[in-house]
Amino acid sequence: TAYPEHAIYNDLQAGAVFSTPEDKLQFSYNFGNRKYLGLFFVPLPIGSGWDFQVVYPEYKLSTHRLGITARVLDRGDLQWLSGINVTGIKYDIEIEGNPSWQYPAEHNNDKLLWTGGWTNRLQLRKFFFGADLMHQFNYQQQVGLSYSFESFNTFRLNNIYAGYSFKICKGKPLEVYLGSRNLVQSDDRMVPDNRRYYGGGFKMQF
């Protein structure tokens, strides 16, 4: 299928942010609505095998994101900043021709795809710590080359680190830290990059 000569793209975005004095509590909301053409491979059963047809369907994507950030603790040597956010995603695909190409279980799903996370940053005197949790609900994955789909819910400890600050010769600051990426994940089918990292290091000023 040839790419349309006069493709029309729409991208509407809006948002608002509300903060209390000294930014101790912050609320944010963002809305997005996009209309664009994408690339889609349609599996076609032929005899005992499969063939594919390339089409350029119209994608309609809408998102609603709500975020809350709070200074949970701010008492001298102890600071704790925490934030939680959630995004609801709804998308449809319109493909002209065979109705089976529309894949209603995946793209025209009545349920929203929910994704988001929870971030934490803690500082206690010279000790610092951070952890980020990511989640996704109602992720639809095609089963092989069939027309059926499975739904998955996933939690992932996306980032975690801890460190300590020292003072060395002539009061120069030195930080040492340990960290890990993707330390824990309940399901590995919803994230393209599932590699796990462990590391450590230091930061020093001269």
Side-chain angles (χ1 to χ4, degrees):
T1 302
Y3 192 83
E5 295 182 3
H6 305 288
I8 299 176
Y9 300 87
N10 296 325
D11 191 349
L12 173 64
Q13 297 186 35
V17 178
F18 171 77
S19 299
T20 61
E22 299 180 359
D23 292 332
K24 290 186 177 181
L25 187 63
Q26 184 180 89
F27 298 89
S28 63
Y29 170 77
N30 298 91
F31 167 76
N33 188 281
R34 297 180 60 199
K35 179 180 177 182
Y36 60 97
L37 295 183
L39 178 65
F40 200 88
F41 293 92
V42 178
L44 302 175
I46 298 179
S48 60
W50 292 85
D51 195 5
F52 293 90
Q53 180 175 355
V54 178
V55 296
Y56 300 94
E58 181 181 83
Y59 283 69
K60 295 179 180 179
L61 173 69
S62 62
T63 59
H64 298 269
R65 182 189 182 278
L66 177 64
I68 302 175
T69 304
R71 295 186 181 276
V72 182
L73 293 174
D74 192 358
R75 302 175 182 174
D77 293 335
L78 177 60
Q79 293 90 36
W80 177 17
L81 179 66
S82 183
I84 188 170
N85 66 84
V86 62
T87 301
I89 303 172
K90 179 71 170 69
Y91 66 103
D92 298 319
I93 294 181
E94 295 183 2
I95 303 177
E96 297 181 357
N98 191 330
S100 65
W101 292 358
Q102 297 180 17
Y103 289 145
E106 180 188 34
H107 303 293
N108 304 322
N109 191 350
D110 291 334
K111 296 182 179 180
L112 291 176
L113 168 65
W114 292 99
T115 183
W118 180 29
T119 62
N120 289 277
R121 299 294 181 267
L122 180 68
Q123 178 89 36
L124 177 59
R125 296 187 178 89
K126 297 180 179 181
F127 172 79
F128 55 91
F129 171 82
D132 302 327
L133 176 68
M134 184 177 68
H135 66 79
Q136 184 165 264
F137 303 126
N138 192 37
Y139 172 73
Q140 302 289 320
Q141 185 179 54
Q142 184 178 359
V143 180
L145 295 176
S146 68
Y147 287 90
S148 61
F149 295 83
E150 291 182 297
S151 179
F152 299 98
N153 300 324
T154 301
F155 291 90
R156 170 173 170 171
L157 185 57
N158 198 54
N159 180 45
I160 186 170
Y161 67 89
Y164 195 84
S165 299
F166 298 90
K167 293 290 185 180
I168 55 177
C169 60
K170 297 181 180 181
K172 299 288 186 180
L174 171 65
E175 292 183 358
V176 294
Y177 58 88
L178 295 174
S180 177
R181 176 187 178 275
N182 193 22
L183 181 63
V184 178
Q185 182 169 316
S186 62
D187 195 294
D188 62 0
R189 283 169 283 196
M190 53 75 71
V191 181
D193 187 357
N194 295 297
R195 289 174 293 181
R196 183 172 298 167
Y197 295 98
Y198 306 94
F202 66 93
K203 182 173 70 175
M204 183 172 58
Q205 297 181 10
F206 295 95

